[in-house]
Amino acid sequence: MKVIYHIDAMEAWAMTLGNVRNMLDWLHQNQESYEIEVLANGPAVRGYLPGILPDSLNVVMAQAKAEGVVFAACRNALRAQALQPESLIEKTVVVPAGVIELAQKQQAGFAYIKP
């Protein structure tokens, strides 16, 4: 299964990470292979700053990263939010443009989910 989650609002982090956790649990139970990416753009890139999300969500994100989920941030959104890529939490991938990343992933067969 190949899935890209799209998040563009800070208030959607809890639902997005909950959806990712539920999907991972199902995939593991059913022994399915997967590629999952969470792409943040717009104000949601702030969720990749240390100390911004509640600890409970940081735990879910860290566990998902350990299970191979890719967490990506749009470089254009970082610029718009006056954030430097170096300021993001560890293992956050920065992509040049979120909209291009979404289109490329969908073209490569990834399902698009926007919680």
Side-chain angles (χ1 to χ4, degrees):
M1 186 174 297
K2 299 189 314 186
V3 178
I4 187 159
Y5 286 85
H6 176 209
I7 178 169
D8 60 3
M10 285 297 294
E11 57 271 10
W13 271 110
M15 181 174 284
T16 300
L17 291 171
N19 285 179
V20 169
R21 181 73 261 151
N22 290 339
M23 179 171 275
L24 285 169
D25 290 346
W26 186 91
L27 291 165
H28 293 312
Q29 284 178 344
N30 292 282
Q31 300 179 354
E32 295 266 347
S33 62
Y34 60 87
E35 290 179 55
I36 299 174
E37 181 174 324
V38 176
L39 173 72
N41 69 345
V45 296
R46 299 186 78 70
Y48 290 138
L49 292 171
I52 295 295
L53 294 178
D55 287 343
S56 60
L57 294 182
N58 287 324
V59 168
V60 173
M61 187 184 295
Q63 186 177 27
K65 283 181 182 180
E67 294 177 48
V69 175
V70 173
F71 286 85
C74 169
R75 184 176 304 278
N76 292 331
L78 292 174
R79 281 190 203 118
Q81 298 287 316
L83 301 173
Q84 298 301 316
E86 308 80 55
S87 67
L88 305 179
I89 57 178
E90 188 178 14
K91 297 184 181 176
T92 303
V93 176
V94 177
V95 298
V99 293
I100 300 300
E101 181 76 357
L102 290 169
Q104 288 175 331
K105 291 295 183 182
Q106 289 179 76
Q107 201 169 41
F110 280 65
Y112 172 86
I113 299 176
K114 185 168 175 28

